[in-house]
Amino acid sequence: MVGKWWTITAALALGSMSVSQLHAADGLYLGAGVGAATVKDNFNTETFDQEDVAYRAFVGWRFDQVPIIDLAVEAAYTNFGKPSQTIVQGGAAQNVEFKLHGASLAGLLILPLGPIDLYAKGGVIDWKADQTVNGSTTGRSGTDAFYGAGIGFYLWILAFRAEYERYQIKDVDRVQMLSLNVLFQF
């Protein structure tokens, strides 16, 4: 009989810890993610449209001071990989590769629904891009806007997020990223 009460008490204690953390609280979080980045651009008369594995690391601070919604500020470094494609123009094949990476700062508007978060984000990225055509590289850099949306699931101090982001990189038709992320909330 004592073993049964011990089991029930332990289950209630663990359950109450879970209920108190139904959504993330104020505080610092660290995370990392991996996904697919797509770069689409016009190359002379042809279209470059490829994707590659991308990764990111981020740090943020979440505020739950506003009723109904939470806010967060997030800094990240994202490497969009090196998408490459062979483009044939006038019978000549040209190997084209984009290398894009940058640091970003974003604000998040979060709708907490128990252990689930729905969120939108927007910010700026300070990027650097190298375009290599048949071994000859041209570099560019700039600061441009981006936006995105995602869904997160909290499990105690860990969270798992899936998100889509679209980057408005100057002189590139489209840069977007779909990623899966994990974060640890302090």
Side-chain angles (χ1 to χ4, degrees):
M1 187 71 157
V2 172
K4 181 179 178 181
W5 286 108
W6 173 250
T7 305
I8 292 171
T9 304
L12 288 173
L14 287 173
S16 68
M17 288 189 327
S18 311
V19 169
S20 67
Q21 186 68 19
L22 277 180
H23 74 87
D26 276 355
L28 178 69
Y29 60 89
L30 299 173
V34 65
T38 303
V39 175
K40 181 179 180 183
D41 198 13
N42 291 325
F43 181 76
N44 296 331
T45 60
E46 299 298 319
T47 300
F48 179 93
D49 189 2
Q50 288 295 311
E51 72 178 38
D52 198 12
V53 175
Y55 62 90
R56 77 168 47 168
F58 55 92
V59 60
W61 189 274
R62 183 168 175 155
F63 307 90
D64 66 358
Q65 302 299 318
V66 180
I68 301 175
I69 61 169
D70 289 355
L71 304 172
V73 175
E74 192 171 283
Y77 170 79
T78 304
N79 185 315
F80 296 90
K82 296 182 205 174
S84 61
Q85 178 178 340
T86 301
I87 295 176
V88 179
Q89 284 186 317
Q94 297 182 339
N95 295 320
V96 179
E97 178 183 87
F98 274 88
K99 181 179 176 186
L100 179 63
H101 59 93
S104 63
L105 184 62
L108 283 76
L109 182 63
I110 306 164
L111 178 60
L113 303 169
I116 305 287
D117 283 344
L118 300 176
Y119 64 93
K121 72 190 302 188
V124 295
I125 183 167
D126 186 34
W127 56 271
K128 182 176 181 194
D130 292 325
Q131 181 182 21
T132 304
V133 180
N134 290 336
S136 177
T137 301
T138 304
R140 302 180 285 176
S141 61
T143 302
D144 290 305
F146 74 96
Y147 59 90
I151 185 169
F153 175 75
Y154 278 84
L155 185 61
W156 197 41
I157 59 175
L158 286 178
F160 304 93
R161 299 192 320 195
E163 66 184 36
Y164 169 81
E165 294 168 310
R166 178 84 181 248
Y167 296 83
Q168 305 297 316
I169 305 295
K170 182 181 176 184
D171 300 330
V172 177
D173 286 348
R174 183 182 71 220
V175 176
Q176 62 188 18
M177 183 172 167
L178 187 60
S179 63
L180 297 175
N181 304 274
V182 63
L183 65 91
F184 177 80
Q185 176 130 13
F186 294 92

